[in-house]
Amino acid sequence: MKKLLCAVSALMMTSLTLTACSDANATEKTELKKILWEHAGDLEPQKGFEKNIGTAGLLSGKAGDYIIVGGGANFPEKSPAEGGAKKNYPDVYVLEAKDGKLNQVDHTTLKYEIGYGSSITTEEGVYYIGGSPDEKEADNVTLFTTNEKGKLSSKSIGDLPFTFSDGVSVKSDNNIYVGLGKQNGEPSNKFYKFDIKTGKTEELAPIPGEATRNQAVSQVLNGDIYVFSGGDKIAYTDGYKYNIKENTWSKVSDVQIEDEKISLLGANSVKLNEDEMLVIGGFNKEIYDDAVKNLNSLKDEELAKFKEKYFGTDPQEFNWNKKTLIYNSAKDEWKSIGEIPFEAPCGEGLILDEDYIFSINGEIKPGTRTNRTYSGTLVFELDSSI
C-alpha cells in the first residue's frame, strides 16, 4: 500500500503543498503523524489593563467560522509566594483563523468574570459550564455563538443545582454530561446529566477510583465518555469509560507511554475523530505530589522558604508533560507523536480548526501564565491506494 506524508497547510513549502493538492482527490487522511508549530499572534490586553500576561482556565472553542476564547485567571500584582491574589476576567475575544494566524474580530466583556469552567465545542456553538468566582454565576450553563461577522452572543441554557469548576463536561445528543472537579466548592467524583431542552439535572453513577478528581480530560469517543487523569492531593494517571446507555463505568488503559505513566492533571484535549483524542500538557506527578504534601504540612518559616523556592523555580524544572499524546479508543492505547517546541501549558485554550490546532495562553509553572498563542499544522499520513 503506497503511503506518503502530507501537511495540508500553507505553512509547508510550495513544492510539497502542490504535491499534496494534486493528490487530494485520490487520497484519504489515515493517521496524524506530527504537528508543525509556529507563533500565531497574542491576545490584546484585557480592558483596563496595559498588558496581557496570559490567563489559565479559559473559555475556549469554535463557534461557526470563529474561535472564541476568554476569561481565565492570573496573578497580576504579586506571585502566590508573595501572597498575590488570583484575578479572573470578564473579557472574551472572537478570533478568525487564516493561514495559521489568529486575527481578532471582536473583544467584549461579560457582566461577570469567568474561569475554570468547562468548554464544549458543538455545531450550535460553544457551551460553557460553571466557572466563575461569582457564586450567582458559577452554576450557569451558557451557549456562546457568533454571527457571520464574528459578533459574540451568549444565551443562558439553564443552571446546575450546584456551582461547578475544575471538572469535565461533554455533550452527547441533547444532554451535557458534567461532573468531577469542585461542586459547591468541594472536590467530588459525582457525575450528572443536564438536559439542554428541559434544564433538568439527573445524578448518574460516580466515576470509580479516587473520591475526588480535579482537572481531568474527557471526550466522547464512539458513543462512550472517556475520562483520564486529574488529581487532588496527588496526581492520577488512570482512565475510565462511561457507557451512556447502561450508566456504568469500566476501566481503560492508564495514560502510559512504554513504561512511563503520565499525569494529565491540568491538561487540555480535543477530539480528532470518532476513535481518537489528542492531549497537550499535564503536571509532573512526582513534583506535584511532593509540592502538595509540603504546602499542606510545612508551617511558618519552613513553609515560606518552600514557597519561595517552589514558585521561583524555572518552568523547565517542573518537567510538565511536553509530549503530544493521542488516545485511540478502538485499540485502548496511548501513543506520542512528538513534543511541543514551547513550554508545556496547563489550563490553556486548545482548539481544533480543520487542519490546525491552536494552543492559547495557559499556565507554564505554578502561579505563572504565558500570553503566547501557538498554531499547529496537522501533518497526516495519506493513503493513495483507495
Side-chain angles (χ1 to χ4, degrees), residues 218-370:
S218 182
Q219 292 290 341
V220 177
L221 302 174
N222 283 315
D224 294 317
I225 300 172
Y226 288 79
V227 177
F228 292 96
S229 190
D232 191 1
K233 294 181 180 179
I234 63 170
Y236 314 140
T237 60
D238 50 351
Y240 299 91
K241 177 175 70 174
Y242 178 75
N243 185 305
I244 293 175
K245 293 181 180 180
E246 298 180 4
N247 186 28
T248 58
W249 292 89
S250 58
K251 186 76 177 67
V252 293
S253 292
D254 291 348
V255 186
Q256 184 168 334
I257 302 297
E258 296 180 347
D259 295 329
E260 180 188 5
K261 289 191 175 183
I262 300 173
S263 160
L264 302 181
L265 173 60
N268 210 339
S269 69
V270 294
K271 180 176 178 177
L272 293 175
N273 52 58
E274 282 303 314
D275 286 336
E276 295 178 313
M277 60 187 285
L278 179 147
V279 183
I280 290 177
F283 299 160
N284 176 276
K285 175 174 172 55
E286 182 179 352
I287 294 175
Y288 174 87
D289 292 355
D290 181 70
V292 172
K293 178 182 177 181
N294 282 301
L295 289 170
N296 285 283
S297 62
L298 298 178
K299 297 184 182 301
D300 302 327
E301 186 176 347
E302 283 187 315
L303 178 60
K305 287 183 178 179
F306 178 81
K307 283 185 175 181
E308 182 179 3
K309 180 180 179 181
Y310 181 69
F311 290 108
T313 300
D314 290 337
Q316 297 83 356
E317 295 182 47
F318 284 93
N319 197 27
W320 287 2
N321 173 52
K322 297 188 72 172
K323 290 184 174 67
T324 303
L325 300 174
I326 294 177
Y327 174 74
N328 186 301
S329 62
K331 299 178 180 178
D332 187 27
E333 67 181 22
W334 287 89
K335 70 176 181 180
S336 172
I337 58 168
E339 294 192 353
I340 56 174
F342 49 92
E343 291 171 326
C346 288
E348 80 277 22
L350 194 65
I351 302 122
L352 187 66
D353 182 26
E354 297 181 351
D355 289 316
Y356 293 98
I357 188 170
F358 296 96
S359 175
I360 302 176
N361 287 190
E363 186 176 31
I364 55 172
K365 74 171 191 175
T368 301
R369 282 34 172 174
T370 177

Side-chain angles (χ1 to χ4, degrees), residues 112-173:
Y112 54 94
E113 297 172 352
I114 59 173
Y116 291 93
S118 184
S119 305
I120 313 170
T121 293
T122 70
E123 292 182 356
E124 308 96 79
V126 180
Y127 287 93
Y128 184 71
I129 320 300
S132 175
D134 185 338
E135 285 193 14
K136 294 183 295 183
E137 311 294 348
D139 58 358
N140 293 353
V141 178
T142 306
L143 177 63
F144 289 92
T145 58
T146 58
N147 66 14
E148 65 278 2
K149 294 184 178 180
K151 189 68 175 178
L152 182 73
S153 296
S154 63
K155 176 184 177 182
S156 174
I157 304 301
D159 295 322
L160 298 173
F162 48 85
T163 64
F164 177 72
S165 68
D166 298 290
V168 299
S169 296
V170 295
K171 181 175 178 287
S172 180
D173 296 327

Side-chain angles (χ1 to χ4, degrees), residues 194-223:
F194 174 86
D195 189 310
I196 293 173
K197 291 186 175 181
T198 67
K200 294 182 178 179
T201 303
E202 175 186 350
E203 186 170 352
L204 306 172
I207 189 171
E210 305 292 339
T212 58
R213 189 180 296 266
N214 298 320
Q215 297 187 33
V217 296
S218 182
Q219 292 290 341
V220 177
L221 302 174
N222 283 315

